[in-house]
Amino acid sequence: MIIDAHIVEDYIEGKDLSQYKDDWIYYCISEESVFEMPDPENRVWVSKLYQKIRDQIENFTPCNGKAIRRLFPQFDRISNDYMIRLVVGFPDPYDAMVLEHDGKACLVFDLIQFQEDSLREDYSCHRVLTHELIHLCLREDYPEPDEMSYGEALNYIAFNEGFAHALPYPEDLQDFVFDEILEKKFEAAREKLRTALAETDENRQKIYRRMANTGNYWDKFAAIAGKLYLLRHIDELEGIYKQGWRDFTARILEE
């Protein structure tokens, strides 16, 4: 992976960061720059986190790599060409974002927004890296249409986010057990998905489309329904992937 860390390195060294407020990354979530001058008091722990995250990126091992490479033969090629920018200056809660510039996606980590808890020994960024790389692989196989109907959008979200959330989730796919708690989560997400698909009011559809993959984790009904459907069919992932996204929600609701 390609790492661009000049912003966070300048921050750690105490340099003036005002020169970066017009960097394109700070314009991707608003028409105006969202850059906020970071508090210099965070430099000590950010320096430690920077070394930890950089080491993890340089020694990246995808979660459930064998299964992922079976589904996505292009995974290593995409990984090797992927840009990661380690920065500071984003407002809360923007910690990890996939941003696009000149037709190419890159992953941006704001290390201050990761917070000092990320220094704990058990934290690893490998899951989020695996998640984002799956998105890129999937979009290469199934490009997102420029225009989609409401129903098509829910299908695409459930399929795309479902695979990106499901594959990195268990420590080991082969030993994963779909327990009673997940069954209840699946039923709740399925019912919300069913309700959303039946909605005909355009204003309500806009709300459901936004809720499908935003907000509290378990409330992202399309992403969660897709993820848990796939985890219930671990032995069928390749076949499900080959069938594509267009009738994916119908398959979820037929369970």
Side-chain angles (χ1 to χ4, degrees):
M1 295 183 187
I2 303 165
I3 302 173
D4 179 345
H6 69 278
I7 292 179
V8 75
E9 288 175 347
D10 281 357
Y11 166 71
I12 291 168
E13 293 173 10
K15 295 181 180 178
D16 180 13
L17 299 188
S18 59
Q19 60 180 310
Y20 296 121
K21 67 181 178 63
D22 291 326
D23 191 293
W24 66 267
I25 61 173
Y26 299 110
Y27 283 88
C28 284
I29 57 178
S30 174
E31 292 182 0
E32 298 181 353
S33 174
V34 297
F35 177 82
E36 295 181 352
M37 191 63 70
D39 189 333
E41 292 185 3
N42 294 316
R43 284 193 195 118
V44 174
W45 69 262
V46 169
S47 176
K48 295 176 183 176
L49 181 59
Y50 166 58
Q51 294 299 327
K52 173 181 178 175
I53 295 296
R54 178 154 198 145
D55 180 68
Q56 289 184 351
I57 294 170
E58 291 174 345
N59 295 281
F60 171 62
T61 301
C63 307
N64 294 303
K66 185 176 180 180
I68 285 173
R69 289 185 176 96
R70 226 175 16 246
L71 280 174
F72 307 110
Q74 71 271 49
F75 186 86
D76 289 329
R77 168 177 57 79
I78 287 176
S79 299
N80 291 336
D81 193 38
Y82 195 44
M83 168 71 75
I84 299 176
R85 294 191 65 176
L86 304 178
V87 306
V88 292
F90 276 91
D92 181 63
Y94 296 99
D95 52 0
M97 302 146 283
V98 176
L99 304 178
E100 189 168 316
H101 186 60
D102 291 337
K104 192 166 185 179
C106 78
L107 180 60
V108 177
F109 285 164
D110 187 300
L111 298 191
I112 289 180
Q113 296 303 332
F114 266 41
Q115 300 185 5
E116 196 169 359
D117 286 350
S118 299
L119 282 170
R120 67 184 188 272
E121 187 175 346
D122 64 342
Y123 176 77
S124 171
C125 68
H126 286 192
R127 182 166 286 164
V128 68
L129 284 176
T130 303
H131 175 105
E132 298 303 342
L133 288 166
I134 288 170
H135 276 313
L136 293 181
C137 292
L138 189 146
R139 287 171 185 156
E140 188 173 273
D141 293 335
Y142 296 105
E144 183 174 353
D146 292 332
E147 295 184 10
M148 289 188 285
S149 68
Y150 171 66
E152 287 174 332
L154 292 182
N155 269 283
Y156 194 85
I157 291 169
F159 188 79
N160 185 2
E161 296 294 339
F163 274 98
H165 281 290
L167 289 169
Y169 175 69
E171 291 294 326
D172 187 338
L173 278 175
Q174 299 309 312
D175 294 333
F176 177 71
V177 176
F178 199 96
D179 60 23
E180 186 177 344
I181 293 174
L182 290 181
E183 190 67 51
K184 290 179 179 178
K185 297 288 189 184
F186 181 51
E187 286 305 313
R190 267 201 335 151
E191 287 311 304
K192 192 66 170 285
L193 177 61
R194 192 189 307 277
T195 300
L197 286 167
E199 183 59 66
T200 57
D201 179 81
E202 289 187 6
N203 290 327
R204 290 291 300 166
Q205 286 180 347
K206 289 178 182 178
I207 295 171
Y208 277 125
R209 186 167 178 170
R210 184 172 63 252
M211 291 170 58
N213 189 40
T214 60
N216 294 329
Y217 184 77
W218 292 108
D219 293 335
K220 302 175 183 181
F221 65 90
I224 296 301
K227 165 187 171 175
L228 297 181
Y229 172 81
L230 293 170
L231 290 176
R232 291 184 92 206
H233 298 273
I234 286 176
D235 294 334
E236 305 167 45
L237 292 181
E238 291 179 67
I240 293 171
Y241 188 69
K242 288 177 182 177
Q243 289 179 52
W245 62 271
R246 290 194 175 273
D247 65 345
F248 188 56
T249 58
R251 284 177 269 159
I252 294 172
L253 296 181
E254 285 171 0
E255 283 289 289

